[in-house]
Amino acid sequence: MTDQESQHDPSRRFESFETLAIHAGQEPDALTGAVVPPIYQVSTYKQDGVGGLRGGYEYSRSANPTRTALEENLAALEGGRRGLAFASGLAAEDCLLRTLLVPGDHVVIPNDAYGGTFRLISKVAERWGVEWSVADTSDAAAVRAALRPRTKLVWVETPSNPLLGITDIAAMADIARTAGARLVVDNTFASPYLQQPLALGADVVVHSTTKYMGGHSDVIGGALVVGDAGLADELAFHQNAMGAVAGPFDAWLVLRGIKTLAVRMDRHSANATRVAELLAAHPKVTQVFYPGLPGHPGHEVAAKQMRAFGGMVSFRVAGGEEAAVAVCDRAELFTLGESLGGVESLIEHPGRMTHASAAGSALEVPGDLIRLSVGIEAVDDLLADLTRALA
Ligand code: PLP
């Protein structure tokens, strides 16, 4: 058992990640013995007299048993006190921002992040008086320089989307704490199997559970996990007050995906390593971004804070944007599509697809960049497809 794994509630019977992934929050159903939590597709619950709640449930925006199972599972896997499940990753982020910020507060955001996160802060939160500035979060001095007296959040994505930048979570936690701010880590690319930010000092973990947690490209979901009880209560209040909760079927799909998270992440990481090595040796590839490659600037930090390096690989091609678009079009097994983290491999052009909303900003991505979500198919088939697409 690693130090990170020992952070979760000690009253639980099992400690290892793989066992928690399958069992945490999921006792066999008391009524039928069903070994997985039923989908409680229900909005309201009979009360035994006014206020007489059986099992604590009164209305499914406030709480629903299938969602509770997922939320307990998320808390156990991230080593947190409380998990909260939302309708999407951005719904989770929106709840976090509106819970913790008031007009005039300031957020440091990374110079490489999911375009939708940047859009939410720069186009939506800004209209409500939230101030923000961009910093390279792999550079502690740059983050310190970006702090202001009213900085309330330092936002980190590691590995980042789409350039696979690595930020030292423990170092950022120190900087944020000293400044009286909270550290938020978007752990979507790593998943809690590969990296546990709360154990490294983060205050809040954000997930798009749409990705590796769900794992099968069949659900949109999001999550927040926190270690502090007061913060958990504040977020839970706003989750209910704002209402963008995960529905019971979506919660069930994410729970089902999480059961195989550990074996999937091992295979994603192994396949991505082979893909990155192939690309690094390819004459038409000018740069490869994968934290598992020893030449990656964040390799040592990633090796310190991650169990393996994950399934995402980005690379730049000779010939500019048109060449990159042509490679995306020629790939066959790598399906051209947005999103990531499913069992099937995906290819995309961030500049025109996932990160189009960052065009013209400090987060604009190079036009010759291609992003791969390396799936768990036979790796030789994946290598052959990329070799063909690059030819
Ligand atoms: N964070 C990261 C790193 C993402 O890649 C995404 C989506 O691509 C999100 C957050 C937003 O999640 P969702 O699409 O579930 O709203």
Side-chain angles (χ1 to χ4, degrees):
M1 184 181 56
T2 66
D3 285 354
Q4 294 178 6
E5 283 169 353
S6 68
Q7 295 297 312
H8 78 277
D9 180 358
S11 67
R12 291 186 192 283
R13 278 178 297 156
F14 301 107
E15 297 290 336
S16 59
F17 186 95
E18 292 85 341
T19 307
L20 288 171
I22 294 168
H23 294 286
Q26 303 174 72
E27 291 297 323
D29 180 49
L31 189 63
T32 64
V35 296
V36 293
I39 304 166
Y40 281 90
Q41 194 68 45
V42 60
S43 60
T44 193
Y45 305 79
K46 179 184 187 306
Q47 303 195 5
D48 294 328
V50 174
L53 306 183
R54 309 176 183 184
Y57 294 98
E58 61 180 343
Y59 185 59
S60 281
R61 170 165 36 72
S62 313
N64 169 282
T66 316
R67 196 175 94 222
T68 302
L70 172 60
E71 292 180 334
E72 289 183 4
N73 185 272
L74 290 165
L77 296 191
E78 285 288 3
R81 187 177 293 269
R82 182 139 185 194
L84 298 164
F86 292 85
S88 70
L90 282 175
E93 294 182 16
D94 183 38
C95 179
L96 179 63
L97 295 171
R98 286 201 270 164
T99 302
L100 294 183
L101 303 175
V102 296
D105 285 346
H106 174 253
V107 187
V108 177
I109 55 179
N111 64 350
D112 180 32
Y114 171 56
T117 299
F118 176 65
R119 183 177 53 203
L120 176 64
I121 295 173
S122 66
K123 299 254 165 39
V124 182
E126 189 186 83
R127 289 181 52 223
W128 297 88
V130 168
E131 298 179 9
W132 53 276
S133 42
V134 172
D136 174 357
T137 57
S138 68
D139 176 354
V143 174
R144 276 197 205 92
L147 294 169
R148 296 186 192 165
R150 287 194 60 179
T151 302
K152 293 285 160 45
L153 298 179
V154 175
W155 194 287
V156 162
E157 212 181 275
T158 183
S160 64
N161 182 2
L163 290 172
L164 283 303
I166 297 295
T167 295
D168 186 328
I169 296 173
M172 280 306 120
D174 276 349
I175 291 173
R177 199 177 311 113
T178 307
R182 286 188 165 108
L183 177 66
V184 179
V185 176
D186 185 330
N187 204 25
T188 298
F189 268 34
S191 89
Y193 177 63
L194 298 186
Q195 172 174 279
Q196 293 179 312
L198 297 180
L200 297 166
D203 297 288
V204 185
V205 172
V206 173
H207 277 286
S208 169
T209 55
T210 312
K211 311 296 174 357
Y212 288 105
M213 306 289 257
H216 296 77
S217 306
D218 54 11
V219 63
I220 299 287
L224 299 174
V225 186
V226 295
D228 178 77
L231 180 56
D233 288 345
E234 274 183 74
L235 288 167
F237 170 83
H238 283 84
Q239 180 197 37
N240 179 49
M242 291 160 60
V245 295
F249 184 47
D250 289 353
W252 185 87
L253 281 171
V254 176
L255 262 179
R256 187 171 71 153
I258 285 173
K259 287 177 194 290
T260 55
L261 181 65
V263 286
R264 284 188 288 107
M265 292 315 292
D266 282 339
R267 177 68 170 255
H268 282 296
S269 301
N271 280 1
T273 301
R274 293 280 306 280
V275 164
E277 287 167 357
L278 172 106
L279 294 171
H282 199 287
K284 296 218 173 122
V285 174
T286 55
Q287 199 175 0
V288 181
F289 304 89
Y290 185 62
L293 292 177
H296 185 287
H299 177 67
E300 277 175 28
V301 173
K304 185 180 73 174
Q305 67 190 15
M306 298 177 75
R307 192 198 292 254
F309 302 100
M312 298 301 296
V313 180
S314 293
F315 62 104
R316 299 175 77 176
V317 288
E321 181 158 343
E322 292 314 318
V325 169
V327 171
C328 292
D329 287 343
R330 276 197 299 268
E332 289 175 15
L333 184 54
F334 278 85
T335 303
L336 179 60
E338 301 201 356
S339 200
L340 59 111
V343 291
E344 60 286 299
S345 292
L346 297 176
I347 188 168
E348 69 123 0
H349 184 268
R352 293 194 188 173
M353 295 169 67
T354 49
H355 290 67
S357 62
S361 78
L363 280 78
E364 181 168 312
V365 294
D368 57 5
L369 185 76
I370 294 171
R371 190 190 74 181
L372 303 176
S373 173
V374 180
I376 64 170
E377 299 96 335
V379 72
D380 288 342
D381 292 338
L382 297 176
L383 300 180
D385 191 43
L386 285 175
T387 304
R388 226 179 3 247
L390 281 162

